[in-house]
């Protein structure tokens, strides 16, 4: 994938970023615009998207991905605007914290749609064009919660675990096609995510990283061959321990976490 702006606006690479009205999506859109990309900005807050588009030269494409037909409408609007999408950054996400039996049904449905179903649908619609051009990047925003599980975040963790398995499986499929799959796995991030889930971040350690730090990893994954990035990097260690010795990990997590 090119990481330098090309000679004309039409030849510059195009990125579609979901969740662009705040947090990781907003920070990523800003970084990609600074790097010379044309950006298609999706989210549910039209006012914030318009402000970001004015600031970065992007195109606002508001859409509610919690609706099953939302991804199809978004892809139709994206292709109508630019004719192609070179990179999809699926950063839209919802969470909820509390005992699983108390999870509101509508909240669970929206998490499944936005965190898991929408990225799968977007990839399904954009992938044929990428394969035809033999170039593209699919960047999926996962979570350490989808790697090791987190108490009182069962529904959210399940959606992110499903996304991680999708990324792994698709990576095998797309080897040698010119289309790369990237998985970004942050821990806690200092964004409005925690306010929207209804419970603030309460742990003393680890402290949340900034959205800009995650955006840096997203951009790095697009322009390099690094296909699995933990943010911060040390989170790869507990993920490896969980994979190698899940019983030991659970005992330690129960004791210290």
């Amino acid at each position: 994938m090119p990481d330098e702006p090309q000679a004309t606006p039409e030849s510059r690479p195009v990125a579609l970023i979901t969740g662009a009205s705040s947090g990781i999506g907003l920070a990523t859109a800003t970084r990609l615009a600074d790097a010379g990309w044309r950006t298609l900005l999706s989210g549910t807050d039209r006012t914030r998207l318009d402000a970001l588009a004015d600031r970065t030269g992007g195109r606002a494409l508001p859409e509610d991905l919690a609706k099953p037909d939302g991804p199809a409408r978004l892809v139709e609007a994206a292709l109508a605007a630019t004719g192609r999408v070179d990179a999809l950054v699926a950063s839209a996400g919802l969470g909820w914290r509390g005992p699983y039996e108390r999870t509101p049904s509508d909240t669970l449905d929206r998490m499944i749609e936005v965190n898991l179903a929408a990225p799968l649908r977007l990839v399904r619609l954009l992938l044929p064009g990428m394969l035809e051009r033999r170039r593209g990047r699919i960047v999926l925003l996962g979570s350490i919660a989808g790697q090791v599980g987190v108490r009182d975040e069962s529904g959210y963790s399940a959606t992110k675990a499903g996304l991680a398995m999708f990324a792994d499986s698709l990576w095998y499929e797309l080897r040698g096609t010119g289309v790369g799959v990237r998985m970004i796995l942050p821990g806690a991030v200092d964004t409005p995510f925690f306010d929207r889930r209804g419970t603030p971040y309460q742990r003393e350690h680890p402290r949340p990283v900034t959205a800009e730090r995650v955006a840096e990893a997203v951009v790095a994954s697009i322009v390099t061959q690094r296909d699995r990035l933990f943010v911060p990097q040390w989170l790869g260690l507990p993920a490896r321990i969980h994979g190698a010795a899940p019983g030991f990990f659970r005992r330690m997590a129960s004791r210290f976490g």
Side-chain angles (χ1 to χ4, degrees), residues 107-169:
T107 298
L108 180 60
D109 290 344
R110 287 182 64 84
M111 277 198 298
I112 293 170
E113 286 293 335
V114 174
N115 298 358
L116 181 58
L120 268 64
R121 292 185 176 117
L122 289 169
V123 171
R124 174 62 186 85
L125 294 166
L126 291 170
L127 187 55
M130 292 182 178
L131 289 172
E132 182 179 351
R133 294 186 299 274
R134 296 193 62 81
R135 61 186 294 162
R137 291 289 183 268
I138 296 165
V139 186
L140 305 173
L141 267 293
S143 170
I144 188 62
Q147 302 293 298
V148 302
V150 177
R151 179 177 178 175
D152 288 337
E153 295 185 33
S154 301
Y156 173 76
S157 298
T159 62
K160 293 300 186 179
L163 194 63
M165 290 302 99
F166 171 65
D168 280 354
S169 300

Side-chain angles (χ1 to χ4, degrees), residues 177-190:
T177 66
V179 181
V181 181
R182 308 294 189 244
M183 192 73 189
I184 310 300
L185 297 158
V189 185
D190 186 11

Side-chain angles (χ1 to χ4, degrees), residues 1-3 24 27-35 37 89 137 139 141 182 184 212-226 229:
M1 293 295 296
D3 59 350
I24 296 169
T28 299
T30 302
R31 281 184 172 269
L32 286 173
D34 289 344
W37 287 66
V89 180
R137 291 289 183 268
V139 186
L141 267 293
R182 308 294 189 244
I184 310 300
E212 287 72 19
R213 186 169 175 183
V214 182
E216 182 179 343
V218 171
V219 175
S221 77
I222 292 174
V223 300
T224 69
Q225 296 301 312
R226 302 173 67 187
L229 294 174

Side-chain angles (χ1 to χ4, degrees), residues 22-25 188-196 208-212 214:
S22 67
I24 296 169
V189 185
D190 186 11
T191 71
F193 173 88
F194 292 104
D195 295 332
R196 292 170 184 159
V209 300
T210 64
E212 287 72 19
V214 182

